[in-house]
Amino acid sequence: MNINNLGLLNSLSFILNEGIKDSDYAIAVYLVENINRASEVSINEIIDETFTSRSAVRRFCNRLGYSNFSDLKESITKMIFPSNLQYRSQVDLLNHRKVLNELIFQMIEDIDEMFSVNIVEEIIDLLFNHKDVILLCANNTSGDLIRFQQELIYGNKEIKIVSKAYTNNENIKSLSEESLIIVVSASGKFAEIANDWLNHLKGKKVLITAYRNQSFFEQYHHVFYISKNSFSSDYLGIYGKYGIVYIFDLIFSSYLSKYKKG
């Protein structure tokens, strides 16, 4: 699986949010509007409906980290949406509030048991002691980490978030042995897919996850678990959607308390 698949939603959203009405914008809009039939969309259809050219479609695909439209189209059909939205039943939706309340309460207890004060202290020391810090994550975690990034500005600390077109990212290309890479993957799926690619990157590597996989210890200098249970499917996205917010709020508050200047 192409690691860029896990940042595809962010790539499309970025183009839409940027609002520049160019060929990339036209292609992104058309793909989003036809997301449910992406496997049927041909490059000729894209060209005709968006009034673009074959070379424009190729550049669009390259920008998102794909060599051609066929690779991009295949990725859209296999796209991982936040919280496994495509698997929710009508029963889930009707009882969503009750189930959500119970699962969030259980999750916080679980995180508090595993993600100790000492672990938070270790992470904030790593952040402080590394000038070049990059957080890697998939689509559904990026919003929480961007908020964390913005909060750290108040703490006089600059970090970078990479959550789309990973293989094309300039910050990734400029990593050194002194860099710190923190991979945030609640269910572990992103970490598994990124594992081989990550092996070629320079820097100290840290993983925050709930999934236990022996191969992670060969890749990372530190693995911090956020749950006493190992799981690779975060049903309803509880840990990925709410747990990451909670964890990085703890990290930010601790960082501010210890390292805020003035």
Side-chain angles (χ1 to χ4, degrees):
M1 184 178 182
N2 188 332
I3 187 176
N4 294 315
N5 294 11
L6 298 185
L8 184 51
L9 287 175
N10 276 351
S11 295
L12 292 172
S13 298
F14 178 82
I15 293 170
L16 296 176
N17 293 339
E18 198 174 29
I20 300 174
K21 302 299 193 297
D22 56 7
S23 59
D24 283 353
Y25 182 86
I27 295 168
V29 168
Y30 191 77
L31 287 176
V32 168
E33 290 177 348
N34 292 276
I35 202 79
N36 293 326
R37 52 177 292 271
S39 60
E40 305 168 11
V41 176
S42 69
I43 190 169
N44 288 331
E45 179 183 338
I46 290 281
I47 293 169
D48 292 341
E49 296 296 329
T50 62
F51 304 100
T52 54
S53 64
R54 190 173 294 270
S55 60
V57 175
R58 184 177 64 253
R59 287 193 299 270
F60 175 84
C61 295
N62 293 161
R63 176 178 178 179
L64 272 58
Y66 301 92
S67 57
N68 53 58
F69 182 66
S70 294
D71 289 345
L72 172 59
K73 185 167 69 171
E74 182 182 2
S75 300
I76 293 175
T77 61
K78 297 178 179 178
M79 195 186 299
I80 299 174
F81 283 90
S83 311
N84 295 323
L85 293 175
Q86 66 270 43
Y87 300 119
R88 293 193 187 188
S89 67
Q90 194 63 30
V91 174
D92 291 331
L93 296 174
L94 290 171
N95 296 287
H96 188 63
R97 182 189 293 269
K98 179 180 178 182
V99 171
L100 199 60
N101 286 342
E102 292 174 355
L103 291 177
I104 289 175
F105 180 76
Q106 294 168 11
M107 175 205 69
I108 291 175
E109 285 192 328
D110 189 23
I111 289 174
D112 283 345
E113 185 175 339
M114 289 299 299
F115 212 73
S116 66
V117 172
N118 290 337
I119 287 176
V120 172
E121 183 84 6
E122 189 172 351
I123 291 172
I124 66 170
D125 288 345
L126 284 169
L127 286 170
F128 182 79
N129 291 320
H130 286 81
K131 180 174 176 58
D132 184 26
V133 180
I134 288 183
L135 270 62
L136 285 174
C137 65
N139 295 301
N140 56 335
T141 308
S142 60
D144 302 326
L145 297 188
I146 289 171
R147 185 183 303 109
F148 174 69
Q149 176 190 37
Q150 293 170 352
E151 289 173 338
L152 275 185
I153 292 173
Y154 180 70
N156 310 112
K157 179 66 181 180
E158 175 206 345
I159 65 170
K160 303 178 184 75
I161 311 295
V162 177
S163 60
K164 62 183 179 67
Y166 307 93
T167 56
N168 284 349
N169 188 277
E170 294 300 322
N171 288 318
I172 293 296
K173 295 175 183 178
S174 64
L175 286 167
S176 70
E177 296 298 341
E178 287 71 46
S179 301
L180 174 66
I181 304 169
I182 302 178
V183 176
V184 183
S185 179
S187 69
K189 287 189 179 296
F190 175 76
E192 280 191 320
I193 292 168
N195 212 33
D196 290 340
W197 171 69
L198 202 68
N199 191 49
H200 302 290
L201 303 185
K202 297 177 181 178
K204 173 174 273 190
K205 298 159 189 172
V206 173
L207 174 63
I208 297 175
T209 188
Y211 184 48
R212 286 162 172 75
N213 184 322
Q214 194 61 36
S215 68
F216 290 159
F217 291 102
E218 300 169 8
Q219 182 68 266
Y220 294 94
H221 295 83
H222 302 277
V223 178
F224 299 115
Y225 293 117
I226 62 174
S227 173
K228 58 181 175 293
N229 302 308
S230 176
F231 58 83
S232 59
S233 179
D234 185 10
Y235 181 62
L236 294 183
I238 300 301
Y239 283 79
K241 185 182 293 184
Y242 305 103
I244 297 302
V245 173
Y246 180 60
I247 286 164
F248 277 87
D249 188 71
L250 296 176
I251 293 172
F252 169 68
S253 298
S254 298
Y255 187 93
L256 209 61
S257 175
K258 186 171 184 178
Y259 291 119
K260 169 66 175 169
K261 297 176 184 177

